[in-house]
Amino acid sequence: MTHSDLTIKIHNSKTRKKEVFEPLDPKNVRMYVCGPTVYDRAHLGNARPVVVFDVLNRLLRYAYGDEHVTYARNFTDVDDKINATALMRKEAGAEGTLEELVAERTEETIDWYLKDMGALGALEPDHMPRATGYIAQMIVMIEDLIKRGHAYPDGAGHVLFSVKSYPDYGKLSGRSVDDMIAGARVEVADNKRDPMDFVLWKPSTEDLPGWESPWGRGRPGWHIECSAMAHDLLGESFDIHGGGNDLQFPHHENEIAQSCCAHPEGEFARYWMHNEMLQVEGKKMSKSLGNFFTVRDLLDQGIPGEVIRFVFLSTHYGKPMDWTAKKAKEAEKTLKKWYAIAETALDNEEPYIGVVNALADDLNTAQALAEIHQLAHAEDAPSLRASLLLLGLFNGTTPEWATAPTADLSEFEALLATARETAMQTKDFSEVDRVKAALLEAGVEVRMSKAGVELLPGAGFDASKLDALK
């Protein structure tokens, strides 16, 4: 079932305004998103674009149908950081060649990434190309750029792109040449004709991953990878290109230059979307501040993936997002209430139109959640269920963490009630504090009022921890 009459609006970074999304071909809607460099676990900031563009992917499939949407997200699996981690392993005594250790690290990290992103409810893209699988296409593209006068070899194994050969360079980021020179992550290479020229190919030592090319054994520069993979999978022109706004310059700017110069008959990506960055407790995430953590860190702390996703969706993708422990706790409570209602629905109705319209308005996920709050208040279980499915917050089965555990806690209620009654007379509350602390440690929610004591098993309830009170 399709809903192609749905009007979707997105903020196009290219034009700096919100525009109605009109695909090149409604039967073949195409999106490319820059994926990770696979040298370590994905940190929380890495996960934000995954969730943002997963929601967009779901919305596009709702509007145009599964079979009419192609979503590609790459893995950069050739990079100096990957080489460095492999070198550390070799120096620590790991067996195998450096190239074998690079491959081993890559496989391990990709596996981690897919499992961690899956825990956040992200669907796997239709294509997950690895840069190392497209070296031949990159070499062909570089050769073409040289022939067309847009790139040049320096004679020392490097090939560089000539920025001045592309007059529109800088339009995406809106930067002047002076700004770009000051802010560029310029790779070291001899014989640059212009300070802004960037590397398309660079030499590789015998022990590191490398491929034979017309310019000698080497490996691609970072920027050419996405251009070659996007062209091979999606064509000279496709609909949407996404990523974090930290990639807008120079990575996306360079992608446009390479692609439009190599394939002037196309327009590369027609709509560009960039998500804002993430903070933790109001501060930039950094190891020096001690607030740097990976998605796996949070999952291992017992924070469910659905909760992480909910917190992400609570802020519009175009605004900076602040991760806080308070937001996570509130999200967990909210989701438990929603799941309790949603699981009573027998059929998957259509998602509530208010939720759909919110997402169609430049992925306004915060508004979509507000609409779902109203559905929950009205206890509209079918619409709630379908809307949660659309947002990727529900897969049809209430997760185990959200299922209220059952237990007979009456003897502990009596124990705490007696301790409290005694304390009221002696004014010594140490026994009350001891019992209450043990209950809380066991994941029991303690409610004390004039009416008496009520104990409820919480999300982390562990009955074995109550043995000490018996």
Side-chain angles (χ1 to χ4, degrees), residues 110-273:
I110 288 175
D111 185 55
W112 287 344
Y113 184 85
L114 293 176
K115 285 177 179 173
D116 291 351
M117 297 307 111
L120 302 188
L123 302 171
E124 289 193 2
D126 301 288
H127 299 288
M128 295 187 285
R130 301 185 186 194
T132 52
Y134 289 77
I135 301 295
Q137 290 91 327
M138 294 175 204
I139 291 173
V140 168
M141 196 170 190
I142 294 169
E143 286 181 308
D144 198 34
L145 287 168
I146 293 172
K147 287 176 189 172
R148 292 172 181 268
H150 295 293
Y152 56 94
D154 71 349
H158 296 88
V159 180
L160 296 111
F161 183 87
S162 175
V163 167
K164 284 185 177 175
S165 75
Y166 182 59
D168 285 342
Y169 191 86
K171 280 194 172 181
L172 178 69
S173 57
R175 297 178 181 224
S176 68
V177 172
D178 289 342
D179 286 340
M180 288 189 280
I181 291 173
R185 285 156 54 181
V186 179
E187 295 187 56
V188 177
D190 295 332
N191 305 327
K192 280 190 178 185
R193 293 178 185 171
D194 186 278
M196 281 306 299
D197 291 354
F198 56 88
V199 173
L200 298 174
W201 190 265
K202 55 188 173 185
S204 195
T205 57
E206 284 302 317
D207 58 337
L208 289 173
W211 293 263
E212 293 304 322
S213 79
W215 319 286
R217 186 176 185 277
R219 60 189 193 272
W222 176 35
H223 312 298
I224 194 70
E225 296 173 8
C226 286
S227 285
M229 289 185 281
H231 176 263
D232 193 78
L233 293 168
L234 305 179
E236 290 89 1
S237 301
F238 56 93
D239 297 301
I240 299 170
H241 195 313
N245 69 352
D246 57 325
L247 298 181
Q248 192 174 48
F249 178 82
H251 185 51
H252 290 164
E253 200 74 75
N254 292 353
E255 275 189 69
I256 292 172
Q258 297 160 161
S259 298
C260 289
C261 288
H263 305 287
E265 68 280 11
E267 52 182 322
F268 196 43
R270 299 175 69 238
Y271 299 86
W272 286 81
M273 295 179 72

